[in-house]
Amino acid sequence: MDRFSRRIALCALVGAALALPLSTALATPLQAGGNHAGEDHSFDVHSNLDLTGIVLSNATLVSTDFKNSVFRSALLLSADLTNANLKNTDFTGADLTGAVMEGADGKNSVFAGAVLDGVSFSTGDIKNADFRGASLLGAALIL
């Protein structure tokens, strides 16, 4: 391989690495009890997972699919869940203080005993969601 071909191959490798989404380079696979604070998992698919006790505070989770997942006792302080798929998701006892959930689909989700203080969910869909015992101080919800 001559010098010119090596340069082209190197440029192709560098270009491919730079084309990776930032979330691919910085985020780690989500797991129950794991600390993923501040990570970007936007547009990922994490449906049907048990993420009990996970820490996703200040995480960017825009348009992420969490359908049928479990977030019991999880910390999602100030997480950005804009347009996320949260159908049938269990947030029992989770703390979502200050989370942004605009446009999120939370149909049939469970927020029992969760802290949703200051949450913005005004354009999302929360039909048939369970908010029994949840704290909703300053939350923007349209039921």
Side-chain angles (χ1 to χ4, degrees), residues 11-30:
C11 288
L13 283 173
V14 170
L18 292 175
L20 288 174
L22 193 53
S23 62
T24 303
L26 298 177
T28 57
L30 298 182

Side-chain angles (χ1 to χ4, degrees), residues 5 11 22 32 36 43 57 60-61 67 81-82 86 102-104 113 123:
S5 297
C11 288
L22 193 53
H36 302 275
F43 303 97
S57 297
T60 304
L61 307 164
K67 177 179 56 200
L81 290 150
T82 300
L86 307 174
E102 296 295 330
T123 61

Side-chain angles (χ1 to χ4, degrees), residues 75-117:
L75 292 177
L76 292 107
L77 306 170
S78 300
D80 186 352
L81 290 150
T82 300
N83 297 319
N85 183 354
L86 307 174
K87 290 180 194 168
N88 304 308
T89 300
D90 184 356
F91 289 97
T92 300
D95 191 342
L96 293 106
T97 300
V100 177
M101 301 171 87
E102 296 295 330
D105 187 348
K107 285 193 261 321
N108 302 310
S109 289
V110 178
F111 295 95
V115 179
L116 297 158
D117 297 346

